[in-house]
Amino acid sequence: MSDKPEEKYEQSELYRIRHSASHVMAQAVLECFPEAKLGIGPAIEAGFYYDFQLPRSLTPEDLQDIEKRMRRIVAGRHAFERSSVSAAEARRTFKDQPFKLELIDGLEKGGTDEDGNPLEAAGEITLYKSDTFTDLCRGPHVEHTGKINPSALKLMSIAGAYWRGDEHKPMLQRIYGTAWRTPQELKDHLAMLEEAKKRDHRKLGKELEIFIFDEEVGPGLPLWMPNGGIMIEELERLAKETEEKAGYDRVRTPNISKEDLFLRSGHLPYYAESMYPPMELEGVKYYVKPMNCPMHHKIFGARPRSYRELPVRLAEYGTCYRYEKSGELFGLMRVRSMQMNDAHIYTSEELFEQEFMGVAALYSKYFELFGIQKYVMRLSLHGKAGLGKKYVNNEPLWIKTEEMVRHAMKNGGIPFVEAADEAAFYGPKIDVQIWSAIGREFSLATNQVDFAQPARFDLKFTDKNGGEETPLCIHRAPLSTHERMIGFLLEHYAGAFPVWLCPEQARIVPITDGHAEYARTLEKRLRAEGIRASADTSAERMNAKIRHAQLMKIPYMLVVGDQEVQAGTVSLRCRDGSRKDGMSTQEFIAQAKENISKRAAGL
Ligand SMILES: [Zn+2]
Ligand SMILES: [Zn+2]
């Protein structure tokens, strides 16, 4: 079972410590560069940053100096003092700070807050002063700088960042830092980052020959190598078996469709920025699909439906294309083509809770299978001000659907937190955050409740009384996309996958050339039994072959020499270091097959 949902990060002590540390850092930078122009300095996941325009590029020595100054400022135990000011006063305070002046304009007009994020109404303008430094800020902070532990503070890196993320605006220098409550927490965090570097999915993906990117193919478009192809097949097999038992029907749909479909679905009006531009054929515009939903809706609507056949569950490992900005692409985690563990469930309100819990059960099953111990579901709700703009304009339906989801989650004992104003345009959304084995957070899958698209597609079913009703649609993808899932699994397992998921499950290593033929016979026999095996009959020495198999994180290594050839046995060396000599081939096959068929976690 997962941990209880934690308090909101924005309200936590760590958030206050980190945000306060960003003030202290800005003060230290101003000491070094009195002419510095200040951007913004928010707390972020696991740390904080501040953006500066400086007369020269920062060096690692600068970071050391700034960090030293921060420790001195922290020791002064300076209180954070709040004052509420008029826009004119704020402009006087920041008269030499053009970026702050721009933020004050936003605050005054009510368009954006002091971090440049959208704001619904004009905000109060508040300043916080500590020691010699004053910032345009809403807080929250710690009481005084002494609450920042100087031994749990570290500046991490320098990066370039455009002002307000806009490439037409000045490039600023961003300093990233991290701050924790105790030195031990900092140490653990740094150790985790070190481990994450070793487990970086881009590095492992290359070493284990799982995927590549190619200049000529294009950014964000992964090519799956044979090893990746096998993992994809295994994940699909898992999904298909699970979904078949759960009553899903499989469908197939094309990768492109006419513009009309996406106009009707609402993707073109609400989602066009994330779509590839159209191609024109015979005077008609076609788009590659960013989502599979509209086509599944067409399949549901292809004939009259009765309440008796609900719920209808349509599943497809659909390939979708989304236009992500070049700067936002990241390995397999942010790509432009993706194969999604997609399905749409069409249900009546009456059956909604049961279906929703069925989907939740799928998630739990997968979490258990992959040893994902910590997860949180975040229920994203609509925001009143966004109705008719980013959300379908039907408040009663929003409230009703949100209540249905909340009720189902509570009844099912699913840990969740709520987030206002983050829903999808067509309904409330449940984002699933999971943590990898080394404690890094991933946003893997979403589960969405849609009360708008079925109506846009005029989907209907005949209810018990012979009347017509519009179904609700649940969009779900518990195994996410292959891209994200395999990216996550690479880090989670550090590339040492459970046997069922391993591209190569057994490597046969003959001690000399004289044993090569036995090795090849063994290879054939294992393959005939459904075990992915290969004999390494290359000219390399045995030790090199063993090392190579270890680098590829192959779970079973079978070493064969004179003894094994004579007795018809194998010497088994497992990836975890355990060994068994003189094992009968039959025994090994039985053991491996059982492990694979159970999708066991260990060897
Ligand atoms: Zn602040
Ligand atoms: Zn969908």
Side-chain angles (χ1 to χ4, degrees):
M1 207 45 215
S2 113
D3 288 353
K4 278 269 158 240
E6 292 134 69
E7 64 177 333
K8 260 195 160 175
Y9 177 48
E10 289 73 14
Q11 281 142 20
S12 69
E13 188 195 357
L14 268 178
Y15 184 90
R16 293 200 305 274
I17 288 174
R18 288 167 184 164
H19 173 67
S20 306
S22 85
H23 283 239
V24 174
M25 181 165 76
Q27 180 179 340
V29 169
L30 279 172
E31 286 179 9
C32 306
F33 303 96
E35 64 279 63
K37 303 296 178 223
L38 305 172
I40 58 167
I44 51 169
E45 191 197 333
F48 59 90
Y49 69 77
Y50 214 115
D51 289 343
F52 306 96
Q53 193 173 50
L54 301 171
R56 64 167 172 83
S57 294
L58 290 165
T59 64
E61 292 71 48
D62 289 325
L63 284 200
Q64 282 177 11
D65 180 31
I66 294 165
E67 207 178 284
K68 220 163 88 195
R69 288 169 189 271
M70 286 175 74
R71 296 216 164 83
R72 195 205 66 233
I73 297 165
V74 160
R77 301 170 68 89
H78 306 290
F80 285 91
E81 287 159 14
R82 178 183 187 278
S83 57
S84 178
V85 296
S86 67
E89 250 177 289
R91 284 200 184 90
R92 270 197 299 281
T93 309
F94 294 104
K95 60 181 187 307
D96 300 322
Q97 291 291 345
F99 303 119
K100 295 289 180 193
L101 290 174
E102 198 181 318
L103 295 172
I104 294 166
D105 289 346
L107 278 169
E108 191 185 28
K109 279 189 241 128
T112 47
D113 68 10
E114 68 286 340
D115 287 343
N117 296 318
L119 199 66
E120 284 181 6
E124 188 187 7
I125 300 181
T126 55
L127 307 181
Y128 274 88
K129 182 174 181 299
S130 57
D131 197 14
T132 61
F133 180 69
T134 301
D135 209 349
L136 179 69
C137 176
R138 243 188 323 178
H141 306 93
V142 290
E143 218 182 308
H144 58 77
T145 57
K147 297 267 178 183
I148 302 168
N149 187 334
S151 314
L153 174 77
K154 189 174 166 55
L155 297 188
M156 305 293 289
S157 59
I158 310 159
Y162 290 110
W163 171 236
R164 307 189 90 158
D166 183 341
E167 58 190 18
H168 305 296
K169 297 200 162 144
M171 168 77 88
L172 308 180
Q173 297 189 69
R174 174 172 295 177
I175 305 178
Y176 284 104
T178 190
W180 298 82
R181 279 168 296 223
T182 63
Q184 186 59 45
E185 280 183 357
L186 173 64
K187 207 174 141 208
D188 292 346
H189 175 67
L190 296 178
M192 189 272 275
L193 289 182
E194 204 44 48
E195 188 59 33
K197 227 188 257 171
K198 280 189 223 149
R199 293 175 179 231
D200 188 320
H201 80 273
R202 296 164 299 174
K203 175 176 164 280
L204 284 175
K206 196 169 169 193
E207 287 167 7
L208 302 177
E209 295 181 12
I210 291 173
F211 68 94
I212 52 162
F213 288 97
D214 183 279
E215 274 294 301
E216 275 183 300
V217 175
L221 302 168
L223 298 176
W224 293 94
M225 304 188 59
N227 285 346
I230 290 169
M231 294 186 70
I232 283 179
E233 291 295 330
E234 286 294 349
L235 288 171
E236 292 200 8
R237 197 183 328 228
L238 169 68
K240 285 172 188 171
E241 278 175 27
T242 313
E243 286 164 6
E244 192 177 343
K245 280 188 202 139
Y248 286 76
D249 296 316
R250 303 209 79 80
V251 295
R252 293 272 175 155
T253 60
N255 283 0
I256 63 169
S257 81
K258 281 163 62 180
E259 174 180 39
D260 302 19
L261 186 73
F262 297 117
L263 282 172
R264 188 194 272 263
S265 68
H267 285 96
L268 277 174
Y270 291 101
Y271 197 76
E273 272 194 10
S274 302
M275 292 172 66
Y276 269 83
M279 53 196 126
E280 214 160 301
L281 295 167
E282 295 160 354
V284 181
K285 279 186 189 152
Y286 284 79
Y287 283 85
V288 291
K289 63 179 172 185
M291 295 186 193
N292 304 299
C293 346
M295 302 198 193
H296 291 186
H297 299 337
K298 286 289 183 188
I299 292 173
F300 179 88
R303 62 172 170 75
R305 304 279 184 174
S306 147
Y307 73 93
R308 289 173 205 278
E309 55 183 314
L310 294 188
V312 170
R313 309 179 187 94
L314 302 179
E316 175 180 20
Y317 246 107
T319 301
C320 299
Y321 301 85
R322 294 186 192 162
Y323 177 72
E324 298 272 2
K325 291 194 186 117
S326 306
E328 280 164 14
L329 296 172
F330 176 70
L332 289 179
M333 303 313 288
R334 271 273 179 114
V335 287
R336 288 179 177 169
S337 75
M338 62 209 79
Q339 306 160 74
M340 200 187 306
N341 173 224
D342 211 1
H344 295 93
I345 301 174
Y346 302 88
T347 174
S348 60
E349 275 181 32
E350 201 185 337
L351 297 174
F352 172 79
E353 186 156 330
Q354 167 203 313
E355 278 313 296
F356 187 83
M357 293 319 295
V359 171
L362 280 190
Y363 278 88
S364 312
K365 186 187 151 90
Y366 293 141
F367 292 161
E368 197 179 325
L369 179 69
F370 292 115
I372 296 166
Q373 285 169 356
K374 183 177 172 191
Y375 64 89
V376 165
M377 303 218 181
R378 194 180 65 193
L379 169 58
S380 296
L381 311 168
H382 77 288
K384 205 176 166 71
L387 287 172
K389 284 175 255 168
K390 53 180 186 167
Y391 306 120
V392 171
N393 197 3
N394 189 336
E395 196 177 24
L397 215 43
W398 276 103
I399 292 168
K400 183 171 142 189
T401 331
E402 286 165 1
E403 192 41 52
M404 282 166 69
V405 175
R406 204 177 276 127
H407 188 259
M409 306 253 268
K410 278 186 185 149
N411 266 0
I414 301 168
F416 72 102
V417 291
E418 297 195 8
D421 202 15
E422 302 217 347
F425 68 81
Y426 47 68
K429 175 171 88 159
I430 299 105
D431 286 306
V432 185
Q433 310 291 120
I434 59 172
W435 278 260
S436 75
I438 56 168
R440 231 158 58 92
E441 188 181 344
F442 285 76
S443 157
L444 197 63
T446 58
N447 177 3
Q448 299 173 8
V449 186
D450 180 353
F451 56 78
Q453 280 202 56
R456 292 180 81 108
F457 278 86
D458 213 17
L459 303 184
K460 297 263 164 43
F461 66 92
T462 316
D463 66 18
K464 283 185 184 119
N465 310 314
E468 280 195 327
E469 271 185 55
T470 306
L472 284 167
C473 175
I474 301 175
H475 307 238
R476 41 111 285 181
L479 287 176
S480 189
T481 61
H482 284 319
E483 289 71 20
R484 231 164 226 239
M485 191 70 195
I486 292 178
F488 167 78
L489 293 174
L490 273 163
E491 171 173 315
H492 187 57
Y493 290 115
F497 303 111
V499 184
W500 67 273
L501 199 53
C502 278
E504 186 174 342
Q505 294 162 325
R507 174 76 56 94
I508 306 150
V509 178
I511 294 178
T512 67
D513 282 352
H515 311 115
E517 189 166 326
Y518 180 71
R520 276 192 287 266
T521 316
L522 210 51
E523 176 192 87
K524 258 190 217 144
R525 184 163 167 204
L526 295 184
R527 286 193 185 176
E529 296 281 357
I531 299 166
R532 292 188 288 270
S534 74
D536 185 348
T537 53
S538 67
E540 275 181 295
R541 295 166 53 119
M542 183 184 79
N543 282 344
K545 290 178 184 177
I546 288 178
R547 212 166 35 244
H548 191 60
Q550 283 167 339
L551 284 175
M552 295 303 281
K553 307 193 191 246
I554 296 166
Y556 301 126
M557 213 181 327
L558 307 173
V559 179
V560 295
D562 287 342
Q563 272 184 6
E564 286 76 18
V565 172
Q566 260 161 36
T569 58
V570 296
S571 278
L572 171 66
R573 296 187 184 199
C574 292
R575 188 175 57 198
D576 62 5
S578 61
R579 288 175 71 147
K580 195 167 179 188
D581 291 333
M583 192 180 195
S584 85
T585 308
Q586 197 46 49
E587 192 189 343
F588 169 72
I589 290 172
Q591 180 188 321
K593 280 175 79 171
E594 196 193 330
N595 182 300
I596 294 165
S597 70
K598 280 205 229 149
R599 295 194 174 98
L603 296 182

